[in-house]
Amino acid sequence: MNAVRMGMPIFLIIISLITFFSSLNLPKAKLGDPNGPMYFPLVISICLFTFSVIQLVQEWRAEQTRNEHIERLLVGKTLALIGMILVLSIVYTLIFELVGFLFATIFYLGALLFTLNGKAKWKVNITVAVVFSLIIWYVFKELLSISLP
């Protein structure tokens, strides 16, 4: 089970119970309804408890669907693409200081686009990599006066 997605409703259930029992111990009002100060916190804590329980049940039911999505992710070339993008990102960080922003970014974007689009769209891949890198370099170097390696 996803600890974060299941943990938040559980955390809010605990908070709602603490709020509920704390509001029962509020001092009585001297004017008007003596229990008046506790009504609003009681209603809020009951609503928070109710919605948190609903969210917990929905997350518990959706857990099975998420497991099916993860299984589909592991089948096919998706995992290989994720691995390739991770390797390209590591190479980009290693060559960034050596060859500079412009050449490293052109290489990185070109390699990413060839990985995702394939060799059939080589003109588009190269054009996008070069033009995008030049535009970003121009914006930072000339317009913002930020030096890039």
Side-chain angles (χ1 to χ4, degrees):
M1 290 189 181
N2 190 341
V4 174
R5 295 186 68 91
M6 298 293 280
M8 188 54 72
I10 293 170
F11 173 73
L12 291 174
I13 287 170
I14 293 169
I15 294 295
S16 69
L17 292 173
I18 291 170
T19 305
F20 180 82
F21 290 113
S22 295
S23 63
L24 291 176
N25 293 326
L26 286 173
K28 305 286 185 197
K30 298 191 187 232
L31 295 174
D33 187 2
N35 293 326
M38 76 171 65
Y39 291 147
F40 184 72
L42 283 174
V43 170
I44 294 297
S45 63
I46 291 169
C47 289
L48 181 61
F49 180 81
T50 304
F51 293 132
S52 297
V53 168
I54 291 170
Q55 181 68 29
L56 183 65
V57 169
Q58 288 176 344
E59 289 299 328
W60 182 69
R61 286 182 180 169
E63 187 65 31
Q64 183 63 33
T65 306
R66 277 195 291 279
N67 289 339
E68 291 171 4
H69 291 308
I70 291 172
E71 288 173 7
R72 274 190 257 146
L73 177 70
L74 298 177
V75 176
K77 65 179 187 173
T78 305
L79 201 56
L81 283 173
I82 292 171
M84 184 65 175
I85 291 171
L86 181 64
V87 168
L88 288 172
S89 299
I90 292 170
V91 169
Y92 176 67
T93 58
L94 294 175
I95 68 169
F96 188 83
E97 288 288 330
L98 296 174
V99 298
F101 170 81
L102 191 58
F103 295 114
T105 305
I106 290 172
F107 164 76
Y108 179 66
L109 287 178
L112 277 178
L113 290 170
F114 275 103
T115 301
L116 297 173
N117 294 338
K119 296 176 186 174
K121 297 182 178 180
W122 67 273
K123 290 179 185 176
V124 173
N125 294 344
I126 292 173
T127 304
V128 168
V130 171
V131 170
F132 180 79
S133 299
L134 286 172
I135 289 172
I136 295 300
W137 174 81
Y138 179 77
V139 167
F140 276 88
K141 182 79 170 162
E142 300 300 323
L143 299 179
L144 299 174
S145 299
I146 298 174
S147 64
L148 296 170

